[in-house]
């Protein structure tokens, strides 16, 4: 489960006495670029669990159970050297697994207390994100210019990243992933 929260804790004296299982199915549909557009779609349905040294079977932190991705793009030729491009990327997946917080014990001690016996059983709501990128590409003999605007998370969806105990208010606080992010870009290829 290490790495599921994008950090690597310093852990000493680990014992390798557990087992893990990962299994599932993935379906992929791909239409290569032709007639000015492309499509790629994947669907994964899976289970990821483990038994630690306590011999109790639990979900891993990575067991979101399903993931669906759709990518597509279109290129419109304006003239011999210039193309307009549009690309869409959509992801829908099961929510992240987490270790729940014991709110009453956390309030009593003033520190976050985790319910480790219930580790990775609960799951945040489903993850959804859609990105749209539009741009212009100009091809010259020895150089290509590309201008684009990338609208990441165009629906401004507030996907939960993690939950924590707020000592000041004595409540649980959700920290969300990035909302709408607009990235203008220019690339020079030679």
């Amino acid at each position: 489960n290490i790495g599921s929260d994008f950090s690597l804790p310093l852990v000493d004296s680990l014992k390798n006495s557990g087992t893990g299982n990962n299994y599932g199915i993935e379906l992929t549909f791909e239409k290569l670029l032709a007639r000015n557009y492309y499509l790629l779609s994947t669907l994964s349905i899976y289970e990821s669990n483990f038994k630690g040294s306590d011999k109790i079977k639990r979900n891993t932190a990575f067991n979101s159970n399903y993931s669906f991705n759709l990518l597509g793009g279109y290129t419109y030729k304006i003239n011999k050297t210039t193309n307009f491009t549009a690309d869409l990327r959509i992801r829908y997946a099961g929510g992240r697994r987490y270790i729940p917080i014991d709110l009453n014990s956390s309030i009593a001690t003033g520190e976050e207390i985790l319910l480790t016996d219930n580790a990775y059983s609960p799951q945040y709501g489903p993850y959804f994100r859609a990105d749209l990128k539009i741009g212009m590409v100009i091809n010259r003999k020895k150089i290509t210019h590309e201008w684009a605007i990338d609208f990441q998370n165009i629906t401004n969806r507030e996907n939960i990243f993690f939950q924590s105990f707020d000592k000041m208010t004595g409540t649980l606080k959700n920290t969300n992933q990035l909302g709408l992010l607009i990235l203008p870009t220019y690339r020079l290829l030679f």
Side-chain angles (χ1 to χ4, degrees), residues 19-49:
T19 60
N21 293 297
N22 296 293
Y23 56 92
I25 186 168
E26 180 168 290
L27 303 170
T28 301
F29 170 79
E30 182 175 19
K31 188 230 175 262
L32 299 175
L33 180 62
R35 296 187 190 157
N36 299 339
Y37 76 97
Y38 71 92
L39 285 172
L40 175 65
S41 177
T42 63
L43 172 65
S44 300
I45 300 171
Y46 57 92
E47 282 292 321
S48 177
N49 51 58

Side-chain angles (χ1 to χ4, degrees), residues 10 21 23 58 75 77 97 125 127 144-145 147 189:
L10 297 173
N21 293 297
Y23 56 92
R58 293 186 173 92
T75 301
K77 190 171 187 170
R97 299 280 178 174
Y127 176 91
T144 298
H145 302 273
W147 291 270
L189 305 167

